[in-house]
PDB file of all heavy atoms in Angstrom:
ATOM      1  N   PRO A   1       7.893   0.434  10.379  1.00 97.00           N
ATOM      2  CA  PRO A   1       6.530   0.378  10.878  1.00 97.00           C
ATOM      3  C   PRO A   1       6.153  -1.019  11.345  1.00 97.00           C
ATOM      4  O   PRO A   1       6.615  -1.983  10.753  1.00 97.00           O
ATOM      5  CB  PRO A   1       5.754   0.808   9.629  1.00 97.00           C
ATOM      6  CG  PRO A   1       6.669   1.504   8.725  1.00 97.00           C
ATOM      7  CD  PRO A   1       8.021   0.903   8.973  1.00 97.00           C
ATOM      8  N   VAL A   2       5.326  -1.087  12.348  1.00 97.00           N
ATOM      9  CA  VAL A   2       4.859  -2.440  12.788  1.00 97.00           C
ATOM     10  C   VAL A   2       3.712  -2.907  11.889  1.00 97.00           C
ATOM     11  O   VAL A   2       3.470  -4.123  11.825  1.00 97.00           O
ATOM     12  CB  VAL A   2       4.419  -2.389  14.268  1.00 97.00           C
ATOM     13  CG1 VAL A   2       5.582  -2.006  15.192  1.00 97.00           C
ATOM     14  CG2 VAL A   2       3.230  -1.427  14.455  1.00 97.00           C
ATOM     15  N   SER A   3       3.046  -1.976  11.165  1.00 97.00           N
ATOM     16  CA  SER A   3       2.050  -2.424  10.236  1.00 97.00           C
ATOM     17  C   SER A   3       1.729  -1.290   9.236  1.00 97.00           C
ATOM     18  O   SER A   3       1.909  -0.125   9.552  1.00 97.00           O
ATOM     19  CB  SER A   3       0.734  -2.790  10.939  1.00 97.00           C
ATOM     20  OG  SER A   3       0.107  -1.714  11.554  1.00 97.00           O
ATOM     21  N   ILE A   4       1.320  -1.708   8.026  1.00 98.00           N
ATOM     22  CA  ILE A   4       0.883  -0.793   7.007  1.00 98.00           C
ATOM     23  C   ILE A   4      -0.407  -1.377   6.430  1.00 98.00           C
ATOM     24  O   ILE A   4      -0.434  -2.540   6.027  1.00 98.00           O
ATOM     25  CB  ILE A   4       1.902  -0.571   5.857  1.00 98.00           C
ATOM     26  CG1 ILE A   4       3.190  -0.031   6.464  1.00 98.00           C
ATOM     27  CG2 ILE A   4       1.368   0.352   4.786  1.00 98.00           C
ATOM     28  CD1 ILE A   4       4.368  -0.072   5.428  1.00 98.00           C
ATOM     29  N   MET A   5      -1.455  -0.548   6.366  1.00 98.00           N
ATOM     30  CA  MET A   5      -2.736  -1.072   5.801  1.00 98.00           C
ATOM     31  C   MET A   5      -3.181  -0.136   4.726  1.00 98.00           C
ATOM     32  O   MET A   5      -3.124   1.096   4.831  1.00 98.00           O
ATOM     33  CB  MET A   5      -3.829  -1.127   6.926  1.00 98.00           C
ATOM     34  CG  MET A   5      -5.174  -1.685   6.432  1.00 98.00           C
ATOM     35  SD  MET A   5      -6.548  -1.158   7.422  1.00 98.00           S
ATOM     36  CE  MET A   5      -6.713   0.580   6.985  1.00 98.00           C
ATOM     37  N   ILE A   6      -3.709  -0.714   3.621  1.00 98.00           N
ATOM     38  CA  ILE A   6      -4.282   0.105   2.511  1.00 98.00           C
ATOM     39  C   ILE A   6      -5.739  -0.305   2.374  1.00 98.00           C
ATOM     40  O   ILE A   6      -6.054  -1.504   2.205  1.00 98.00           O
ATOM     41  CB  ILE A   6      -3.535  -0.215   1.218  1.00 98.00           C
ATOM     42  CG1 ILE A   6      -2.015  -0.151   1.360  1.00 98.00           C
ATOM     43  CG2 ILE A   6      -4.042   0.757   0.108  1.00 98.00           C
ATOM     44  CD1 ILE A   6      -1.468   1.203   1.680  1.00 98.00           C
ATOM     45  N   GLU A   7      -6.665   0.659   2.400  1.00 98.00           N
ATOM     46  CA  GLU A   7      -8.069   0.424   2.248  1.00 98.00           C
ATOM     47  C   GLU A   7      -8.591   1.275   1.101  1.00 98.00           C
ATOM     48  O   GLU A   7      -8.348   2.488   1.055  1.00 98.00           O
ATOM     49  CB  GLU A   7      -8.846   0.808   3.521  1.00 98.00           C
ATOM     50  CG  GLU A   7     -10.330   0.789   3.404  1.00 98.00           C
ATOM     51  CD  GLU A   7     -10.886  -0.601   3.097  1.00 98.00           C
ATOM     52  OE1 GLU A   7     -10.845  -1.457   4.006  1.00 98.00           O
ATOM     53  OE2 GLU A   7     -11.306  -0.834   1.928  1.00 98.00           O
ATOM     54  N   THR A   8      -9.213   0.611   0.126  1.00 98.00           N
ATOM     55  CA  THR A   8      -9.738   1.376  -1.025  1.00 98.00           C
ATOM     56  C   THR A   8     -11.233   1.357  -1.120  1.00 98.00           C
ATOM     57  O   THR A   8     -11.828   1.861  -2.138  1.00 98.00           O
ATOM     58  CB  THR A   8      -9.107   0.876  -2.347  1.00 98.00           C
ATOM     59  OG1 THR A   8      -9.416  -0.542  -2.455  1.00 98.00           O
ATOM     60  CG2 THR A   8      -7.578   1.070  -2.346  1.00 98.00           C
ATOM     61  N   PHE A   9     -11.964   0.769  -0.191  1.00 97.00           N
ATOM     62  CA  PHE A   9     -13.399   0.855  -0.082  1.00 97.00           C
ATOM     63  C   PHE A   9     -14.094   0.267  -1.308  1.00 97.00           C
ATOM     64  O   PHE A   9     -15.200   0.760  -1.642  1.00 97.00           O
ATOM     65  CB  PHE A   9     -13.829   2.248   0.235  1.00 97.00           C
ATOM     66  CG  PHE A   9     -13.139   2.908   1.365  1.00 97.00           C
ATOM     67  CD1 PHE A   9     -12.018   3.765   1.163  1.00 97.00           C
ATOM     68  CD2 PHE A   9     -13.547   2.696   2.659  1.00 97.00           C
ATOM     69  CE1 PHE A   9     -11.332   4.337   2.178  1.00 97.00           C
ATOM     70  CE2 PHE A   9     -12.872   3.301   3.729  1.00 97.00           C
ATOM     71  CZ  PHE A   9     -11.777   4.091   3.510  1.00 97.00           C
ATOM     72  N   GLY A  10     -13.514  -0.697  -1.960  1.00 96.00           N
ATOM     73  CA  GLY A  10     -14.105  -1.289  -3.135  1.00 96.00           C
ATOM     74  C   GLY A  10     -14.006  -0.421  -4.359  1.00 96.00           C
ATOM     75  O   GLY A  10     -14.625  -0.733  -5.398  1.00 96.00           O
ATOM     76  N   THR A  11     -13.218   0.665  -4.347  1.00 97.00           N
ATOM     77  CA  THR A  11     -13.106   1.582  -5.485  1.00 97.00           C
ATOM     78  C   THR A  11     -11.856   1.330  -6.358  1.00 97.00           C
ATOM     79  O   THR A  11     -11.523   2.062  -7.204  1.00 97.00           O
ATOM     80  CB  THR A  11     -13.069   3.074  -5.062  1.00 97.00           C
ATOM     81  OG1 THR A  11     -11.839   3.317  -4.352  1.00 97.00           O
ATOM     82  CG2 THR A  11     -14.273   3.380  -4.130  1.00 97.00           C
ATOM     83  N   ASN A  12     -11.121   0.244  -5.998  1.00 98.00           N
ATOM     84  CA  ASN A  12      -9.847  -0.045  -6.678  1.00 98.00           C
ATOM     85  C   ASN A  12     -10.099  -0.449  -8.112  1.00 98.00           C
ATOM     86  O   ASN A  12     -11.073  -1.138  -8.454  1.00 98.00           O
ATOM     87  CB  ASN A  12      -9.050  -1.151  -5.973  1.00 98.00           C
ATOM     88  CG  ASN A  12      -9.892  -2.367  -5.630  1.00 98.00           C
ATOM     89  OD1 ASN A  12     -10.903  -2.285  -4.965  1.00 98.00           O
ATOM     90  ND2 ASN A  12      -9.465  -3.543  -6.153  1.00 98.00           N
ATOM     91  N   HIS A  13      -9.185  -0.044  -8.993  1.00 98.00           N
ATOM     92  CA  HIS A  13      -9.256  -0.309 -10.402  1.00 98.00           C
ATOM     93  C   HIS A  13      -8.190  -1.398 -10.817  1.00 98.00           C
ATOM     94  O   HIS A  13      -8.174  -1.817 -12.039  1.00 98.00           O
ATOM     95  CB  HIS A  13      -9.053   0.916 -11.261  1.00 98.00           C
ATOM     96  CG  HIS A  13     -10.075   1.979 -10.975  1.00 98.00           C
ATOM     97  ND1 HIS A  13     -11.445   1.776 -11.258  1.00 98.00           N
ATOM     98  CD2 HIS A  13     -10.030   3.201 -10.385  1.00 98.00           C
ATOM     99  CE1 HIS A  13     -12.115   2.874 -10.914  1.00 98.00           C
ATOM    100  NE2 HIS A  13     -11.284   3.703 -10.348  1.00 98.00           N
ATOM    101  N   VAL A  14      -7.345  -1.760  -9.895  1.00 97.00           N
ATOM    102  CA  VAL A  14      -6.407  -2.899 -10.071  1.00 97.00           C
ATOM    103  C   VAL A  14      -6.632  -3.764  -8.826  1.00 97.00           C
ATOM    104  O   VAL A  14      -7.147  -3.272  -7.800  1.00 97.00           O
ATOM    105  CB  VAL A  14      -4.966  -2.414 -10.229  1.00 97.00           C
ATOM    106  CG1 VAL A  14      -4.817  -1.576 -11.470  1.00 97.00           C
ATOM    107  CG2 VAL A  14      -4.478  -1.712  -8.998  1.00 97.00           C
ATOM    108  N   PRO A  15      -6.165  -5.009  -8.851  1.00 97.00           N
ATOM    109  CA  PRO A  15      -6.359  -5.813  -7.667  1.00 97.00           C
ATOM    110  C   PRO A  15      -5.763  -5.185  -6.379  1.00 97.00           C
ATOM    111  O   PRO A  15      -4.653  -4.594  -6.467  1.00 97.00           O
ATOM    112  CB  PRO A  15      -5.642  -7.132  -8.050  1.00 97.00           C
ATOM    113  CG  PRO A  15      -5.735  -7.177  -9.553  1.00 97.00           C
ATOM    114  CD  PRO A  15      -5.593  -5.752  -9.980  1.00 97.00           C
ATOM    115  N   GLN A  16      -6.451  -5.335  -5.282  1.00 97.00           N
ATOM    116  CA  GLN A  16      -6.028  -4.771  -4.013  1.00 97.00           C
ATOM    117  C   GLN A  16      -4.618  -5.214  -3.641  1.00 97.00           C
ATOM    118  O   GLN A  16      -3.798  -4.393  -3.200  1.00 97.00           O
ATOM    119  CB  GLN A  16      -7.029  -5.169  -2.914  1.00 97.00           C
ATOM    120  CG  GLN A  16      -6.657  -4.631  -1.539  1.00 97.00           C
ATOM    121  CD  GLN A  16      -6.944  -3.145  -1.348  1.00 97.00           C
ATOM    122  OE1 GLN A  16      -7.725  -2.553  -2.149  1.00 97.00           O
ATOM    123  NE2 GLN A  16      -6.366  -2.522  -0.391  1.00 97.00           N
ATOM    124  N   GLU A  17      -4.326  -6.476  -3.874  1.00 97.00           N
ATOM    125  CA  GLU A  17      -3.001  -6.983  -3.483  1.00 97.00           C
ATOM    126  C   GLU A  17      -1.878  -6.309  -4.331  1.00 97.00           C
ATOM    127  O   GLU A  17      -0.748  -6.162  -3.863  1.00 97.00           O
ATOM    128  CB  GLU A  17      -2.899  -8.493  -3.623  1.00 97.00           C
ATOM    129  CG  GLU A  17      -3.239  -9.082  -4.995  1.00 97.00           C
ATOM    130  CD  GLU A  17      -4.737  -9.365  -5.195  1.00 97.00           C
ATOM    131  OE1 GLU A  17      -5.540  -8.835  -4.449  1.00 97.00           O
ATOM    132  OE2 GLU A  17      -5.021 -10.181  -6.093  1.00 97.00           O
ATOM    133  N   GLU A  18      -2.204  -5.911  -5.550  1.00 97.00           N
ATOM    134  CA  GLU A  18      -1.233  -5.177  -6.310  1.00 97.00           C
ATOM    135  C   GLU A  18      -0.940  -3.785  -5.782  1.00 97.00           C
ATOM    136  O   GLU A  18       0.207  -3.366  -5.778  1.00 97.00           O
ATOM    137  CB  GLU A  18      -1.701  -5.038  -7.821  1.00 97.00           C
ATOM    138  CG  GLU A  18      -1.608  -6.342  -8.589  1.00 97.00           C
ATOM    139  CD  GLU A  18      -1.792  -6.072 -10.127  1.00 97.00           C
ATOM    140  OE1 GLU A  18      -1.660  -4.946 -10.547  1.00 97.00           O
ATOM    141  OE2 GLU A  18      -2.048  -7.059 -10.858  1.00 97.00           O
ATOM    142  N   ILE A  19      -1.936  -3.153  -5.326  1.00 98.00           N
ATOM    143  CA  ILE A  19      -1.765  -1.790  -4.690  1.00 98.00           C
ATOM    144  C   ILE A  19      -0.917  -1.931  -3.460  1.00 98.00           C
ATOM    145  O   ILE A  19       0.027  -1.159  -3.248  1.00 98.00           O
ATOM    146  CB  ILE A  19      -3.111  -1.166  -4.375  1.00 98.00           C
ATOM    147  CG1 ILE A  19      -3.966  -0.933  -5.614  1.00 98.00           C
ATOM    148  CG2 ILE A  19      -2.931   0.180  -3.634  1.00 98.00           C
ATOM    149  CD1 ILE A  19      -5.350  -0.448  -5.356  1.00 98.00           C
ATOM    150  N   GLU A  20      -1.180  -2.927  -2.592  1.00 97.00           N
ATOM    151  CA  GLU A  20      -0.451  -3.108  -1.403  1.00 97.00           C
ATOM    152  C   GLU A  20       0.997  -3.386  -1.684  1.00 97.00           C
ATOM    153  O   GLU A  20       1.934  -2.834  -1.052  1.00 97.00           O
ATOM    154  CB  GLU A  20      -1.052  -4.231  -0.551  1.00 97.00           C
ATOM    155  CG  GLU A  20      -2.460  -3.902  -0.046  1.00 97.00           C
ATOM    156  CD  GLU A  20      -3.185  -5.105   0.540  1.00 97.00           C
ATOM    157  OE1 GLU A  20      -2.662  -6.203   0.418  1.00 97.00           O
ATOM    158  OE2 GLU A  20      -4.283  -4.905   1.074  1.00 97.00           O
ATOM    159  N   ALA A  21       1.257  -4.284  -2.653  1.00 97.00           N
ATOM    160  CA  ALA A  21       2.627  -4.664  -3.032  1.00 97.00           C
ATOM    161  C   ALA A  21       3.374  -3.460  -3.678  1.00 97.00           C
ATOM    162  O   ALA A  21       4.566  -3.160  -3.410  1.00 97.00           O
ATOM    163  CB  ALA A  21       2.661  -5.787  -3.998  1.00 97.00           C
ATOM    164  N   ALA A  22       2.650  -2.648  -4.473  1.00 98.00           N
ATOM    165  CA  ALA A  22       3.246  -1.467  -5.137  1.00 98.00           C
ATOM    166  C   ALA A  22       3.629  -0.424  -4.041  1.00 98.00           C
ATOM    167  O   ALA A  22       4.727   0.179  -4.160  1.00 98.00           O
ATOM    168  CB  ALA A  22       2.264  -0.898  -6.116  1.00 98.00           C
ATOM    169  N   VAL A  23       2.767  -0.205  -3.076  1.00 98.00           N
ATOM    170  CA  VAL A  23       3.084   0.766  -2.029  1.00 98.00           C
ATOM    171  C   VAL A  23       4.284   0.349  -1.252  1.00 98.00           C
ATOM    172  O   VAL A  23       5.218   1.099  -0.964  1.00 98.00           O
ATOM    173  CB  VAL A  23       1.850   0.930  -1.078  1.00 98.00           C
ATOM    174  CG1 VAL A  23       2.275   1.668   0.203  1.00 98.00           C
ATOM    175  CG2 VAL A  23       0.744   1.745  -1.783  1.00 98.00           C
ATOM    176  N   GLU A  24       4.374  -0.947  -0.934  1.00 97.00           N
ATOM    177  CA  GLU A  24       5.549  -1.469  -0.198  1.00 97.00           C
ATOM    178  C   GLU A  24       6.815  -1.300  -0.987  1.00 97.00           C
ATOM    179  O   GLU A  24       7.880  -1.021  -0.456  1.00 97.00           O
ATOM    180  CB  GLU A  24       5.336  -2.965   0.174  1.00 97.00           C
ATOM    181  CG  GLU A  24       6.454  -3.504   1.047  1.00 97.00           C
ATOM    182  CD  GLU A  24       6.182  -4.915   1.464  1.00 97.00           C
ATOM    183  OE1 GLU A  24       5.083  -5.477   1.188  1.00 97.00           O
ATOM    184  OE2 GLU A  24       7.061  -5.530   2.129  1.00 97.00           O
ATOM    185  N   LYS A  25       6.732  -1.518  -2.307  1.00 98.00           N
ATOM    186  CA  LYS A  25       7.896  -1.379  -3.169  1.00 98.00           C
ATOM    187  C   LYS A  25       8.359   0.056  -3.340  1.00 98.00           C
ATOM    188  O   LYS A  25       9.513   0.389  -3.364  1.00 98.00           O
ATOM    189  CB  LYS A  25       7.614  -1.994  -4.540  1.00 98.00           C
ATOM    190  CG  LYS A  25       8.817  -1.946  -5.501  1.00 98.00           C
ATOM    191  CD  LYS A  25       8.443  -2.643  -6.862  1.00 98.00           C
ATOM    192  CE  LYS A  25       9.598  -2.546  -7.806  1.00 98.00           C
ATOM    193  NZ  LYS A  25       9.279  -3.223  -9.108  1.00 98.00           N
ATOM    194  N   VAL A  26       7.389   0.975  -3.499  1.00 98.00           N
ATOM    195  CA  VAL A  26       7.692   2.366  -3.917  1.00 98.00           C
ATOM    196  C   VAL A  26       8.013   3.257  -2.710  1.00 98.00           C
ATOM    197  O   VAL A  26       8.854   4.171  -2.832  1.00 98.00           O
ATOM    198  CB  VAL A  26       6.537   2.920  -4.691  1.00 98.00           C
ATOM    199  CG1 VAL A  26       6.679   4.424  -4.944  1.00 98.00           C
ATOM    200  CG2 VAL A  26       6.375   2.215  -6.051  1.00 98.00           C
ATOM    201  N   PHE A  27       7.416   3.054  -1.558  1.00 98.00           N
ATOM    202  CA  PHE A  27       7.526   3.956  -0.423  1.00 98.00           C
ATOM    203  C   PHE A  27       8.304   3.284   0.683  1.00 98.00           C
ATOM    204  O   PHE A  27       7.994   2.188   1.149  1.00 98.00           O
ATOM    205  CB  PHE A  27       6.152   4.377   0.082  1.00 98.00           C
ATOM    206  CG  PHE A  27       5.357   5.236  -0.879  1.00 98.00           C
ATOM    207  CD1 PHE A  27       4.435   4.640  -1.738  1.00 98.00           C
ATOM    208  CD2 PHE A  27       5.538   6.628  -0.911  1.00 98.00           C
ATOM    209  CE1 PHE A  27       3.690   5.424  -2.591  1.00 98.00           C
ATOM    210  CE2 PHE A  27       4.784   7.401  -1.780  1.00 98.00           C
ATOM    211  CZ  PHE A  27       3.878   6.780  -2.620  1.00 98.00           C
ATOM    212  N   ASP A  28       9.311   4.021   1.208  1.00 98.00           N
ATOM    213  CA  ASP A  28      10.057   3.602   2.424  1.00 98.00           C
ATOM    214  C   ASP A  28       9.457   4.461   3.562  1.00 98.00           C
ATOM    215  O   ASP A  28       9.652   5.693   3.605  1.00 98.00           O
ATOM    216  CB  ASP A  28      11.569   3.914   2.252  1.00 98.00           C
ATOM    217  CG  ASP A  28      12.379   3.352   3.378  1.00 98.00           C
ATOM    218  OD1 ASP A  28      11.806   3.094   4.455  1.00 98.00           O
ATOM    219  OD2 ASP A  28      13.595   3.189   3.199  1.00 98.00           O
ATOM    220  N   LEU A  29       8.783   3.790   4.478  1.00 98.00           N
ATOM    221  CA  LEU A  29       8.037   4.504   5.510  1.00 98.00           C
ATOM    222  C   LEU A  29       8.725   4.468   6.869  1.00 98.00           C
ATOM    223  O   LEU A  29       8.092   4.683   7.899  1.00 98.00           O
ATOM    224  CB  LEU A  29       6.618   3.960   5.572  1.00 98.00           C
ATOM    225  CG  LEU A  29       5.792   4.201   4.296  1.00 98.00           C
ATOM    226  CD1 LEU A  29       4.432   3.519   4.355  1.00 98.00           C
ATOM    227  CD2 LEU A  29       5.639   5.704   4.012  1.00 98.00           C
ATOM    228  N   ARG A  30      10.012   4.246   6.876  1.00 97.00           N
ATOM    229  CA  ARG A  30      10.800   4.435   8.087  1.00 97.00           C
ATOM    230  C   ARG A  30      10.935   5.953   8.349  1.00 97.00           C
ATOM    231  O   ARG A  30      11.008   6.717   7.364  1.00 97.00           O
ATOM    232  CB  ARG A  30      12.179   3.792   7.973  1.00 97.00           C
ATOM    233  CG  ARG A  30      12.202   2.302   7.925  1.00 97.00           C
ATOM    234  CD  ARG A  30      13.560   1.752   7.622  1.00 97.00           C
ATOM    235  NE  ARG A  30      14.010   1.998   6.242  1.00 97.00           N
ATOM    236  CZ  ARG A  30      15.200   1.703   5.788  1.00 97.00           C
ATOM    237  NH1 ARG A  30      16.066   1.118   6.588  1.00 97.00           N
ATOM    238  NH2 ARG A  30      15.506   1.985   4.583  1.00 97.00           N
ATOM    239  N   PRO A  31      10.848   6.422   9.568  1.00 96.00           N
ATOM    240  CA  PRO A  31      10.830   7.860   9.836  1.00 96.00           C
ATOM    241  C   PRO A  31      11.996   8.635   9.190  1.00 96.00           C
ATOM    242  O   PRO A  31      11.730   9.668   8.590  1.00 96.00           O
ATOM    243  CB  PRO A  31      10.962   7.960  11.409  1.00 96.00           C
ATOM    244  CG  PRO A  31      10.252   6.687  11.850  1.00 96.00           C
ATOM    245  CD  PRO A  31      10.647   5.624  10.858  1.00 96.00           C
ATOM    246  N   ALA A  32      13.203   8.141   9.258  1.00 96.00           N
ATOM    247  CA  ALA A  32      14.318   8.832   8.642  1.00 96.00           C
ATOM    248  C   ALA A  32      14.171   8.953   7.151  1.00 96.00           C
ATOM    249  O   ALA A  32      14.534   9.946   6.516  1.00 96.00           O
ATOM    250  CB  ALA A  32      15.631   8.162   8.987  1.00 96.00           C
ATOM    251  N   ALA A  33      13.600   7.891   6.528  1.00 97.00           N
ATOM    252  CA  ALA A  33      13.418   7.905   5.071  1.00 97.00           C
ATOM    253  C   ALA A  33      12.294   8.909   4.725  1.00 97.00           C
ATOM    254  O   ALA A  33      12.376   9.606   3.692  1.00 97.00           O
ATOM    255  CB  ALA A  33      13.036   6.500   4.597  1.00 97.00           C
TER     256      ALA A  33
END
């Protein structure tokens, strides 16, 4: 992907940067994956 954005609208219960880093670590968003 050329970009990935996570928006939680101020409803996050952990720091936003943790959610972004967790998503990047857990999900492989290449089409074949």
